[in-house]
Amino acid sequence: MTGNTREALRSVAVVGGGPVALLAAIALAQALPDASVTLTPASVAPDALADRFPLALPATHDLLATLGLAPDRLLAKGVARARLATRFDDWSRDGRPWLIGDDSAATLPEGRLHALWLRARSPHRFHDLIPACVAAGAGIADPRVEPALHIDPARLTQALAAIAGQAGIRLTAPFAGFAADTLHCQDGTHLTADLLIDASGPPRLLRQDTAFEDWREALPATRLTLSPATADPGPLDRYRATPTGWSAHWPGVTAQAQAGGEGIAIAPGRLTAPFAGRILAIGDAAAQPGPLGLLGFTLALTQIALIRELLPARTPEPLLIAEVNRRANERADRLRDFLAAHYHAGGRTTGPFWHGIRHAVRPPSLETLLAQFARRGHVVTADEETVPRDAWLALLLGQGIRPERPDPVAQSLSPAEAARAIDTLAKRLAALEFPS
C-alpha cells in the first residue's frame, strides 16, 4: 500500500552561525543527495561553547573524516592541535594531581589494569599507566597515541564553508525570526522545510518554549570568565580547583569558573525532547554540558552521527522521534554524570564553592555508578557512552575513591607480584615504550 511508503526528506533547513550548524548541514547533504539543504546564519552566543571551543575526542574522529575533516590533515594544516590528556591540581582527597588521558590505558595479561594497580598498592599514580598521560607529561605528540583535537573555530568555519559550498548547500540571509514552522530571513524572504535543525546554541531560536531539564545542581560552575593565556599549555589541558570554583588553561585562553558573580552566564542542562515535530535541536541548543572539559562539541558530533544513523522521513514518525530523543538524552545524561563526578565524587571539599555542593542532590544514575565503583571497582559501560571507560577509571581513582571489595582475578596474584607487573609497565611507558 502506498500509505506505508517511507518518503525521504526533500528539504532540510539548518539554523546557526558556528561549526556545529555547518557540520550538520554537510552531514545531511551527504546523507540526502537528492534533498535541498539550506543554512540560515545566526549569531554565535557567548555561551555557545560547542561553537566557540570545539574539541573532538578520538571517538568522533571517524565522523570528522567522513565529513571531509580528516584529523591528520587538520593537524598538518594547523587547523587543530593535539591534546593528549587533562591534568587536575588541588582536586583530589590527598591533594595530589591526577590526569585523564585521551587515549586508552595500557593493558596487562595478568588482569584488569586498575585492579592490579589497586592490588599492588603501587607508588606509581594510575595515570603513569596511560600512554597519553605519559606522552603529555613529556610534551610530545607520539603517533602511537591518538589525541583529542583542539580545533581553531575560525579556521574550522572557513574549511567547513568551503566543503558546504562544494556540497551544494544554499546559504540564506541571516536569521530574523521563526513562526508557524517558517523561517524568516533579514532580507524579507522566508522558507519552510521537511526538517528544521536548530543549531543556534543556547538561544534555541527554534525551540524557545520547550521543556528544559536544569543541571545546575549537578554542574554548579555557571559563570565563566575568559582572558588571553600567558603560556602555551602544550598537549595538556590544565585545571586547578580554587576555593571559589576552578581555573583552566586551554590553548590561547585562561578560564575562571565559579557559581556566581561576573562572567559569561552558563545554563547547564538539556531539552527534555530535542526532537519534536519537524524541529530537531543539536549542539548546545539540545544540551549544554558547561565549560568543564569542553565536551559540548564532542557531544554535538555524536548527535550528528545519530541523525545520520536514524535519518527521519518526510512525515515525522513518532517511533523514530522517540528513539532519537531516547538515545540523544542518554548520551547527554551520561556525559553530565561524567562531568558531575568531577564535582561530586568526594575529591576536593574545602572552599566555599566545594563546601556549598557537598549536600547537593546528585543525579540518581551518578549515585548508582559511584556506589557500584565504591563497592566493587566496576564501571559498567553505558549503551550511549561518549567518554571511554579508562577516562572514568582515571577520574574516580584520581579523586581518591578506593573500592571496598578486591577484584577476584587480581587477588590471584600476591601484592608483590602485582607490584612487579605494575612497576615493569610504568618503567616501559616512562621510557616511551608504548604498545603499538
Side-chain angles (χ1 to χ4, degrees):
M1 295 177 61
T2 56
N4 293 330
T5 302
R6 191 177 193 271
E7 189 176 357
L9 292 168
R10 297 186 303 185
S11 58
V12 178
V14 181
V15 175
V20 172
L22 280 160
L23 283 164
I26 293 167
L28 287 164
Q30 287 183 353
L32 299 163
D34 296 327
S36 67
V37 179
T38 60
L39 176 63
T40 299
S43 299
V44 177
D47 55 341
L49 303 182
D51 285 315
R52 297 188 63 195
F53 296 99
L55 182 138
L57 293 183
T60 66
H61 290 184
D62 287 346
L63 176 62
L64 287 176
T66 300
L67 298 178
L69 300 166
D72 289 347
R73 185 170 177 81
L74 292 176
L75 291 167
K77 293 290 186 180
V79 178
R81 56 182 291 165
R83 189 194 76 175
L84 298 174
T86 305
R87 176 182 171 117
F88 294 85
D89 288 288
D90 298 332
W91 208 299
S92 63
R93 295 179 183 181
D94 60 9
R96 298 175 68 187
W98 48 278
L99 284 77
I100 297 177
D102 286 314
D103 205 354
S104 300
T107 59
L108 284 173
E110 292 86 349
R112 295 190 302 163
L113 180 65
H114 78 284
L116 292 170
W117 177 77
L118 290 166
R119 177 69 169 158
R121 301 178 184 269
S122 172
H124 297 289
R125 302 289 279 174
F126 183 69
H127 58 247
D128 293 335
L129 310 177
I130 303 174
C133 296
V134 176
I140 63 171
D142 193 286
R144 295 166 294 182
V145 177
E146 186 173 16
L149 301 178
H150 271 299
I151 309 177
D152 181 280
R155 299 189 67 178
L156 175 61
T157 299
Q158 184 179 22
L160 290 172
I163 296 172
Q166 295 168 2
I169 295 168
R170 182 170 67 90
L171 188 68
T172 73
F175 178 85
F178 180 69
D181 282 351
T182 301
L183 284 171
H184 298 272
C185 302
Q186 291 182 10
D187 63 355
T189 61
H190 55 84
L191 69 149
T192 59
D194 295 336
L195 179 66
L196 297 157
I197 302 292
D198 189 342
S200 63
R204 300 180 184 89
L205 296 175
L206 309 185
R207 300 291 305 277
Q208 291 180 326
D209 58 351
T210 302
F212 185 76
E213 183 176 295
D214 193 325
W215 289 351
R216 283 178 296 180
E217 196 163 13
L219 304 175
T222 57
R223 289 284 175 171
L224 182 68
T225 303
L226 304 172
S227 58
T230 57
D232 189 334
L236 187 70
D237 283 358
R238 300 171 186 269
Y239 289 79
R240 183 178 296 276
T242 67
T244 58
W246 50 261
S247 63
H249 295 282
W250 306 320
V253 177
T254 297
Q256 300 283 340
Q258 53 193 20
E262 301 296 324
I264 300 168
I266 307 292
R270 67 163 172 81
L271 295 179
T272 302
F275 196 1
R278 296 183 182 276
I279 305 172
L280 173 59
I282 65 170
D284 288 337
Q288 168 58 281
L292 181 63
L294 296 179
L295 293 180
F297 184 73
T298 285
L299 183 59
L301 289 174
T302 70
Q303 294 163 344
I304 291 171
L306 182 61
I307 297 169
R308 286 167 60 99
E309 178 186 347
L310 302 177
L311 201 62
R314 186 171 179 230
T315 301
E317 304 158 295
L319 287 178
L320 186 139
I321 290 174
E323 180 66 1
V324 170
N325 284 331
R326 181 189 70 82
R327 293 181 59 182
N329 288 345
E330 285 186 8
R331 291 181 186 188
D333 290 349
R334 184 69 170 184
L335 185 61
R336 172 208 62 201
D337 287 353
F338 177 75
L339 295 174
H342 289 71
Y343 297 108
H344 300 284
R348 183 184 174 109
T349 58
T350 58
F353 175 86
W354 303 93
H355 182 77
I357 64 176
R358 286 176 60 188
H359 303 294
V361 177
R362 301 187 292 204
S365 51
L366 175 61
E367 195 77 50
T368 299
L369 184 146
L370 292 176
Q372 289 176 338
F373 187 78
R375 284 196 301 268
R376 301 193 302 270
H378 290 293
V379 174
V380 179
T381 302
D383 291 337
E384 302 294 338
E385 190 75 78
T386 301
V387 176
R389 180 172 171 271
D390 287 335
W392 274 103
L393 293 172
L395 163 63
L396 300 175
L397 294 172
Q399 296 224 56
I401 300 177
R402 298 295 179 264
E404 298 170 2
R405 302 177 187 174
D407 179 81
V409 176
Q411 284 287 95
S412 67
L413 276 70
S414 69
E417 290 171 324
R420 281 194 294 271
I422 292 296
D423 188 57
T424 298
L425 175 60
K427 287 179 178 177
R428 285 183 55 206
L429 295 179
L432 303 183
E433 295 179 13
F434 299 157
S436 57

